């Protein structure tokens, strides 16, 4: 998901007023991005509208092409035209958030109890913060939603989540329970703890073989010595 919002310098901000873009109802950046595209769709994809609102034209055109490709794929699956309507409802946004929760199950984060820091869920979690540019809205107590899905992590002195969207706990719990049963090593194609332990034991195998071989040689020597003593006693008789 490439950036479509331009980051203007301070002088340019003074010359141009702030763009009047939707805020995603405070639900997150994914909802805002969808609302921005809906507004652009209502202008019949006017390039001037993108420039007036500080949007990257190239990024918006790319989004339009991707949406067109997805629509064509859905038409093939449905074997007919799609019932496309302008403007999305709150229920549509809720369905989108739920789809993001399931589709990005490995990119969920849970808010810490006493502050707005988050801890990523799943394998090797880490403490992260919501990026300051996010439109995610806090509640009356100043706290962010308990769970969010993020699109990417930014490696800075303080790790941030960029492009985040709030999700509900009842969507997260089944996903987390399923993740707990997955074999991370198997999915990644790496070696698991059992295989690594076996690999550590491999150097000991030649030693064991040497010891077994030495034991066999000693047994044969004792048998040969016993046979010679028997023949010697028999010869004396």
């Amino acid at each position: 998901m490439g950036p479509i919002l331009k980051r203007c310098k301070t002088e340019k901000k003074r010359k141009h007023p702030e763009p009047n873009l939707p805020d995603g109802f405070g639900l997150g950046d994914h909802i805002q991005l969808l609302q921005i595209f809906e507004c652009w769709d209502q202008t019949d994809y006017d390039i001037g509208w993108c420039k007036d609102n500080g949007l990257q034209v190239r990024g918006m055109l790319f989004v339009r092409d991707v949406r067109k490709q997805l629509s064509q794929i859905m038409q093939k699956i449905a074997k007919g035209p799609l019932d496309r309507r302008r403007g999305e409802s709150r229920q549509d946004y809720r369905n989108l958030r739920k789809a993001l929760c399931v589709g990005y199950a490995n990119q969920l984060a849970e808010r810490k109890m006493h502050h707005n820091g988050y801890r990523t869920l799943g394998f090797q979690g880490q403490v992260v913060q919501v990026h300051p540019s996010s439109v995610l809205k806090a509640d009356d107590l100043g706290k962010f939603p308990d769970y969010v899905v993020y699109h990417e992590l930014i490696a800075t002195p303080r790790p941030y989540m960029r492009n985040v969207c709030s999700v509900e706990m009842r969507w997260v719990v089944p996903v987390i329970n399923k993740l707990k049963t997955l074999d991370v090593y198997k999915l990644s194609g790496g070696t698991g703890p059992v295989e690594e332990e076996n690999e550590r034991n491999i150097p000991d195998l030649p030693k064991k073989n040497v010891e077994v071989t030495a034991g066999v040689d000693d047994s044969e020597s004792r048998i040969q010595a016993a046979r010679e003593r028997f023949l010697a006693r028999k010869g004396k008789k």
Side-chain angles (χ1 to χ4, degrees):
M1 181 184 297
I4 62 174
L5 300 177
K6 292 182 179 179
R7 306 302 178 195
C8 301
K9 295 182 179 179
T10 305
E11 295 183 358
K12 291 184 178 180
K13 284 186 177 181
R14 293 174 181 173
K15 294 181 181 179
H16 300 282
E18 289 291 332
N20 185 21
L21 295 175
D23 60 356
F25 297 135
L27 296 173
D29 303 305
H30 298 83
I31 304 300
Q32 184 200 33
L33 293 173
L34 176 57
Q35 290 178 339
I36 290 175
F37 184 85
E38 292 169 352
C39 293
W40 188 40
D41 177 58
Q42 294 174 4
T43 66
D44 198 19
Y45 305 118
D46 182 14
I47 301 300
W49 183 87
C50 296
K51 295 180 179 179
D52 294 340
N53 288 277
L55 302 175
Q56 294 186 8
V57 176
R58 185 176 181 181
M60 295 295 290
L61 292 175
F62 177 76
V63 172
R64 185 186 64 179
D65 293 340
V66 172
R67 185 184 180 97
K68 182 179 179 181
Q69 294 175 10
L70 292 176
S71 298
Q72 292 174 350
I73 294 174
M74 293 177 65
Q75 287 178 4
K76 290 181 180 180
I77 296 175
K79 297 181 179 180
L82 299 176
D83 183 15
R84 184 175 180 273
R85 61 185 185 276
R86 290 180 178 269
E88 305 289 343
S89 65
R90 285 271 188 166
Q91 182 62 34
D92 293 326
Y93 295 144
R94 186 174 182 273
N95 293 337
L96 173 60
R97 291 162 52 217
K98 187 175 182 179
L100 291 172
C101 179
V102 177
Y104 288 93
N106 61 328
Q107 295 176 205
L108 294 170
E110 181 181 19
R111 184 176 58 80
K112 306 292 285 185
M113 184 176 297
H114 301 294
H115 56 82
N116 279 332
Y118 282 84
R119 185 171 187 83
T120 59
L121 300 177
F123 188 65
Q124 294 182 347
Q126 59 177 314
V127 178
V128 293
Q129 303 288 333
V130 176
H131 197 272
S133 64
S134 176
V135 296
L136 188 67
K137 186 178 180 181
D139 59 15
D140 296 337
L141 299 177
K143 293 184 178 181
F144 283 141
D146 292 336
Y147 295 92
V148 296
V149 57
Y150 61 90
H151 187 78
E152 60 182 345
L153 295 177
I154 304 177
T156 62
R158 177 181 294 181
Y160 285 106
M161 299 180 294
R162 188 161 64 182
N163 293 331
V164 300
C165 187
S166 65
V167 293
E168 298 181 12
M169 180 179 178
R170 54 181 171 178
W171 305 337
V172 175
V173 172
V175 174
I176 296 302
N177 291 337
K178 188 173 183 179
L179 287 178
K180 290 179 180 178
T181 62
L182 296 178
D183 188 345
V184 178
Y185 295 101
K186 186 176 181 180
L187 290 175
S188 62
T191 57
V194 176
E195 295 180 2
E196 292 176 355
E197 183 177 355
N198 292 336
E199 291 179 357
R200 288 195 297 267
N201 293 334
I202 288 177
D204 296 333
L205 293 178
K207 296 180 181 179
K208 293 181 180 179
N209 292 336
V210 172
E211 293 174 0
V212 172
T213 303
V216 173
D217 294 339
D218 292 340
S219 299
E220 292 179 354
S221 299
R222 288 195 296 269
I223 293 173
Q224 182 64 25
R227 183 182 295 111
E228 292 176 354
R229 289 195 298 271
F230 172 76
L231 294 176
R233 288 196 299 270
K234 187 176 181 180
K236 291 180 180 179
K237 293 180 180 179

